[in-house]
Amino acid sequence: MNAAIILALSICIFFLGYRFYSKFIANRILCIDPGRVTPAVQLNDGKDYIPTKRSVVFFYHYATIAGAGVLIGPTLAVEYGWLPCIIWILAATCLAGGVHDLVIMLASVRHGGKSIGEIARKELGKIGGSAVMIGILFLAATCIAGLGLGVVTALENNPWGAFSAIMTIPVALFIGVYMRRIRPGKIAEASLLGVGFILTFFFLGSLIPYSSFAIYFTLSKGQLTIIIGLYAFIAAILPTDLLLVPRDYLSAYIKAGVIALLVVGVFLVHPDFNMPPVTQYIQGGGPVIPGALWPFLFIVITCGAISGWHSLCCSGVTPKLVRNEQDIRSVAYGGWLLESLCAVVALSLAATMIPGDYFAINSSPTAYAQTGLTPVLLPEISESIGLNLQARTGGTVSFAVGMTEVFSKILGGKEAMALWYQFSILFLAIFTMAIMDHGTRMSRFFFQEVFGWVHKSSNLTKHIPSAVFAGGISVLLWTYLLYTGEIGAIWPIFGICNILLASIGLIIGTSFVMRRVRPIYGLVTFWPVFIFTTAAIYGAFLKVVNELIPAGTFIGVVQSSILIIVVFLVLLVLAEFLRQVINKIT
């Protein structure tokens, strides 16, 4: 099979899903009303509520939802073969993921632009709302740890990559000051300047391995975890327009630009798949993800099919910018399709790798030895890049190798492989760090809201001591998981939490639909709940019983506790929803 054929087929299916199914959902079930005044117009304050052009809202929303998870998940799941992966991505994207985002964004707009937790309180009561808020804290911790592990693995003992990634932080700070003090309002100008600085430091980074500075940027996993943790803590405390906002603009340009180049590159190079359609690991025992196809395919490709993270992005912020309800369909459903296109690209790049090379990168030496495979092109690629790429688990490195193969065939050939590889790592680092700092800040706000419930205060988010304390707790949670975890454990845990939060979003969406139109339409948003919750809860049971508890370690106890708590919260929300439905019927 050819990667270009799969990519073209996926684009056609995404188009059909948007053209017909999203239109049916928007018009017949959600009854989107172009004449209805949105909160952005009604509450326009020039700060939080700002009626914004649809194209601008789309671009901003895409920057917030598109994290490295959509690239890592399909890369890891190709262990099962490319055929089940592409079927799941296409089906779940059109029938569940896009519907989830569309319903949640409209619900937020109809609730005054409120967050998913506040919507849950109104739709499901205090019990449901509280369960959602607590579940979000666990999702954020596991999400940041899962995404961070791939970046840490890629930057470990990689002075060029570490230098380039670290220098994006002072660049973002400079751009923040530039937009605040030097040239206020010149967003495009500042962003282009920032991209120029990042590329300059990237090329300077090529000199680091051969200089006296190499020792300072040749960092271990532990050192990188601490550095990224300190950065995220500071970013969670500083004003958003000083660091996070400029990082958003920079990452948005780079994300969109590189993905567009990758799509074009796949069509130009049109590489063939080397991974088989289905592998022997569908029954379990794989060197990357030990679990079987059911339920772990659904869990590993969480961000490429449906994402609870989007429950946060589609509520609270983006809805405050929507100037017309008619824009929601293209922003929410269309934005999700564009992100899922990234998943198809990632899957295609992973599937083009020779199995011996793919598993050599993504599995530990012990697990790889049990496969009986040997690297084919990897030694030559490692020599061209200047790094030993074996056992760099987490999906990030193998994705970067796939990018390098495509781009080097278009420009530069073998001599440019090192440059393209380090560019790919920088791209993934920017992709990931934007989610890590946002996730930490979001966790800080949620912790402060919990403190506010205890102290009955509604303004704790502006209280500096509580911000420092809450930010510190948030960082400690995910840095502990990142410092002590392995990708085979952390990624499925994140996937389970992410799917369960998406299920909560679908439950809230079902409640929203049933209160406003014929109850039978609630089945459109409720049927995916059975599939996702069944897969996630079964996967959690297998992880806890077969791996985490038998390991007999403290980190195993921590990870087991996270899964048990999140499963309990989802069942609590589901029970509360069903209780309300039964009461309404009777």
Side-chain angles (χ1 to χ4, degrees):
M1 179 58 70
N2 188 274
I5 295 175
I6 292 295
L7 187 57
L9 178 65
S10 300
I11 291 173
C12 291
I13 292 176
F14 288 158
F15 172 78
L16 293 174
Y18 180 80
R19 175 64 180 83
F20 296 105
Y21 194 58
S22 72
K23 186 175 183 180
F24 167 75
I25 299 292
N27 296 341
R28 292 292 301 275
I29 296 179
L30 299 180
C31 301
I32 284 180
D33 182 5
R36 190 184 183 111
V37 178
T38 65
V41 175
Q42 185 177 13
L43 305 175
N44 184 7
D45 58 7
K47 183 179 179 181
D48 294 321
Y49 292 88
I50 307 172
T52 308
K53 288 177 59 177
R54 178 170 55 187
S55 58
V56 176
V57 178
F58 178 90
F59 192 71
Y60 168 82
H61 181 67
Y62 176 71
T64 62
I65 64 174
V70 75
L71 306 175
I72 293 174
T75 300
L76 298 176
V78 82
E79 171 188 75
Y80 299 118
W82 58 265
L83 184 59
C85 295
I86 192 64
I87 291 174
W88 176 238
I89 290 172
L90 296 179
T93 290
C94 296
L95 301 178
V99 175
H100 167 277
D101 288 16
L102 182 56
V103 174
I104 292 298
M105 188 173 292
L106 180 66
S108 181
V109 168
R110 293 282 177 89
H111 283 87
K114 301 298 184 181
S115 69
I116 186 68
E118 295 181 43
I119 297 171
R121 282 197 157 198
K122 290 185 178 180
E123 293 290 336
L124 303 176
K126 290 185 178 180
I127 295 177
S130 301
V132 171
M133 294 293 286
I134 297 171
I136 288 171
L137 296 176
F138 288 105
L139 167 69
T142 56
C143 173
I144 296 170
L147 297 177
L149 188 56
V151 170
V152 165
T153 302
L155 298 179
E156 185 178 5
N157 298 321
N158 180 1
W160 183 354
F163 173 81
S164 302
I166 290 172
M167 291 309 295
T168 63
I169 299 172
V171 169
L173 284 169
F174 170 76
I175 296 304
V177 174
Y178 187 90
M179 291 193 297
R180 239 183 165 194
R181 304 291 185 187
I182 302 175
R183 297 274 286 173
K186 302 295 183 179
I187 296 173
E189 176 183 311
S191 299
L192 292 174
L193 185 63
V195 171
F197 277 130
I198 287 176
L199 292 177
T200 299
F201 284 120
F202 168 70
F203 286 108
L204 289 175
S206 64
L207 305 176
I208 295 296
Y210 312 103
S211 71
S212 58
F213 293 100
I215 189 173
Y216 301 109
F217 294 98
T218 304
L219 304 171
S220 66
K221 173 185 174 182
Q223 291 171 323
L224 286 164
T225 300
I226 293 171
I227 290 172
I228 295 174
L230 288 173
Y231 155 72
F233 173 73
I234 294 171
I237 305 301
L238 289 177
T240 55
D241 60 346
L242 189 59
L243 181 57
L244 294 187
V245 169
R247 276 196 68 88
D248 273 346
Y249 287 124
L250 293 175
S251 65
Y253 278 111
I254 295 172
K255 284 178 185 179
V258 174
I259 291 298
L261 288 175
L262 268 176
V263 172
V264 173
V266 169
F267 281 119
L268 290 177
V269 177
H270 50 83
D272 291 323
F273 286 174
N274 286 303
M275 292 292 287
V278 179
T279 71
Q280 68 269 34
Y281 300 119
I282 60 172
Q283 300 298 328
V288 181
I289 303 296
L293 180 76
W294 168 261
F296 286 99
L297 173 70
F298 305 84
I299 292 169
V300 174
I301 307 188
T302 169
C303 295
I306 195 169
S307 176
W309 181 264
H310 289 209
S311 294
L312 315 180
C313 301
C314 291
S315 64
V317 180
T318 301
K320 292 184 174 70
L321 306 177
V322 175
R323 66 179 182 180
N324 191 303
E325 283 193 359
Q326 202 167 20
D327 297 345
I328 295 175
R329 177 180 165 225
S330 58
V331 172
Y333 196 98
W336 176 239
L337 292 181
L338 184 58
E339 183 176 4
S340 290
L341 182 62
C342 299
V344 176
V345 171
L347 172 65
S348 300
L349 294 180
T352 60
M353 296 186 69
I354 296 172
D357 295 340
Y358 169 83
F359 288 112
I361 296 174
N362 287 296
S363 54
S364 67
T366 302
Y368 184 64
Q370 295 175 354
T371 66
L373 299 171
T374 56
V376 180
L377 299 178
L378 189 60
E380 181 182 350
I381 295 172
S382 296
E383 183 179 356
S384 298
I385 291 173
L387 291 171
N388 180 14
L389 301 180
Q390 280 199 240
R392 288 185 177 255
T393 59
T396 300
V397 170
S398 59
F399 178 82
V401 170
M403 276 185 65
T404 301
E405 287 280 303
V406 170
F407 285 154
S408 63
K409 288 177 180 177
I410 297 174
L411 183 63
K414 182 179 178 180
E415 292 73 17
M417 290 190 75
L419 184 144
W420 283 120
Y421 175 81
Q422 295 295 352
F423 176 78
S424 303
I425 295 300
L426 174 62
F427 161 69
L428 288 164
I430 292 173
F431 224 104
T432 302
M433 288 175 68
I435 298 295
M436 296 178 79
D437 51 32
H438 268 292
T440 303
R441 190 177 187 88
M442 178 189 66
S443 297
R444 178 206 129 188
F445 284 142
F446 287 135
F447 270 118
Q448 287 181 281
E449 286 189 25
V450 173
F451 299 158
W453 296 346
V454 175
H455 295 282
K456 297 182 179 180
S457 171
S458 60
N459 200 32
L460 269 183
T461 54
K462 297 182 180 180
H463 187 239
I464 295 178
S466 71
V468 172
F469 182 66
I473 294 177
S474 303
V475 169
L476 286 175
L477 282 175
W478 64 258
T479 51
Y480 176 75
L481 292 173
L482 178 56
Y483 195 90
T484 58
E486 298 292 337
I487 191 66
I490 289 180
W491 191 261
I493 291 172
F494 159 60
I496 290 167
C497 293
N498 199 24
I499 285 178
L500 289 176
L501 184 57
S503 298
I504 289 177
L506 288 168
I507 292 170
I508 295 170
T510 303
S511 175
F512 174 80
V513 169
M514 292 179 66
R515 288 174 183 268
R516 290 158 180 82
V517 294
R518 294 171 58 189
I520 191 66
Y521 284 141
L523 292 176
V524 173
T525 52
F526 193 65
W527 72 262
V529 173
F530 289 104
I531 297 176
F532 290 113
T533 54
T534 302
I537 293 174
Y538 181 44
F541 172 78
L542 293 177
K543 282 302 278 189
V544 171
V545 173
N546 295 340
E547 296 180 37
L548 299 179
I549 291 180
T553 61
F554 180 71
I555 183 62
V557 173
V558 172
Q559 294 172 345
S560 298
S561 301
I562 291 174
L563 291 177
I564 292 170
I565 291 171
V566 174
V567 168
F568 171 77
L569 292 173
V570 172
L571 292 176
L572 182 65
V573 172
L574 182 59
E576 182 66 15
F577 167 74
L578 293 175
R579 184 188 66 81
Q580 292 184 14
V581 172
I582 292 172
N583 289 341
K584 186 176 181 179
I585 294 174
T586 57

